Amino acid sequence: MTDLFFMGGPLFMGILTIILVAMVSLTCYIAIQKKKEGIKPLADSWVKELGILGLVVGIFGQFIGLYQAFSIIEEAGSVSQAMLVGGFKVSSITTLYGFVILILSLILNVGLKLLDNPNVQQGKGN
């Protein structure tokens, strides 16, 4: 896993990890506050917004990586297909990480919405 982290670029992977930690921390905080006193539904949307931010940062990281790769290819003149495909593979690591963060944010958002349902809190189901 650490190999993927450093292959994806420490800057963007670090930013994405900070977004992931903030999203999970915010989810825990909102869940605790909902159990204690109830919190406004607007706070739930912040979890989803952080997930979307993670995806956008991941895509931005991929575009930066592709731009750098295309600049190097332009200077070199010709590049083997294997090297080109390897560059695409490495540049997509940040986007994949961003998608994982988005999917996790959607799952956490659904969990927070289930806390709002009084039937789920009492164990009655639907």
Side-chain angles (χ1 to χ4, degrees), residues 3-21:
D3 293 339
L4 285 175
F5 184 87
F6 289 108
M7 280 177 47
L11 175 65
F12 281 101
M13 296 297 279
I15 292 170
L16 288 170
T17 302
I18 290 169
I19 292 171
L20 176 65
V21 169

Side-chain angles (χ1 to χ4, degrees), residues 76-110:
S78 64
V79 179
S80 70
Q81 290 179 353
M83 188 179 289
L84 185 64
V85 171
F88 281 124
K89 183 178 84 170
V90 168
S91 74
S92 63
I93 292 172
T94 57
T95 303
L96 290 173
Y97 194 29
F99 271 117
V100 168
I101 291 172
L102 176 64
I103 291 168
L104 183 62
S105 76
L106 294 175
I107 292 169
L108 293 174
N109 196 39
V110 167

Side-chain angles (χ1 to χ4, degrees), residues 26-97:
L26 180 65
T27 302
C28 293
Y29 175 76
I30 291 171
I32 291 169
Q33 292 300 317
K34 279 186 176 192
K35 289 286 186 182
K36 286 183 179 177
E37 64 210 33
I39 197 168
K40 296 178 183 175
L42 179 63
D44 294 354
S45 69
W46 281 97
V47 174
K48 196 182 338 176
E49 297 295 326
L50 283 173
I52 293 170
L53 178 64
L55 177 62
V56 170
V57 169
I59 291 171
F60 183 66
Q62 181 175 12
F63 283 141
I64 296 292
L66 287 174
Y67 180 78
Q68 291 172 345
F70 290 150
S71 296
I72 292 170
I73 291 170
E74 184 179 34
E75 289 176 12
S78 64
V79 179
S80 70
Q81 290 179 353
M83 188 179 289
L84 185 64
V85 171
F88 281 124
K89 183 178 84 170
V90 168
S91 74
S92 63
I93 292 172
T94 57
T95 303
L96 290 173
Y97 194 29

Side-chain angles (χ1 to χ4, degrees), residues 110-126:
V110 167
L112 288 174
K113 288 184 187 228
L114 286 175
L115 287 176
D116 288 337
N117 188 349
N119 293 331
V120 173
Q121 290 177 352
Q122 297 172 0
K124 293 180 182 176
N126 285 332

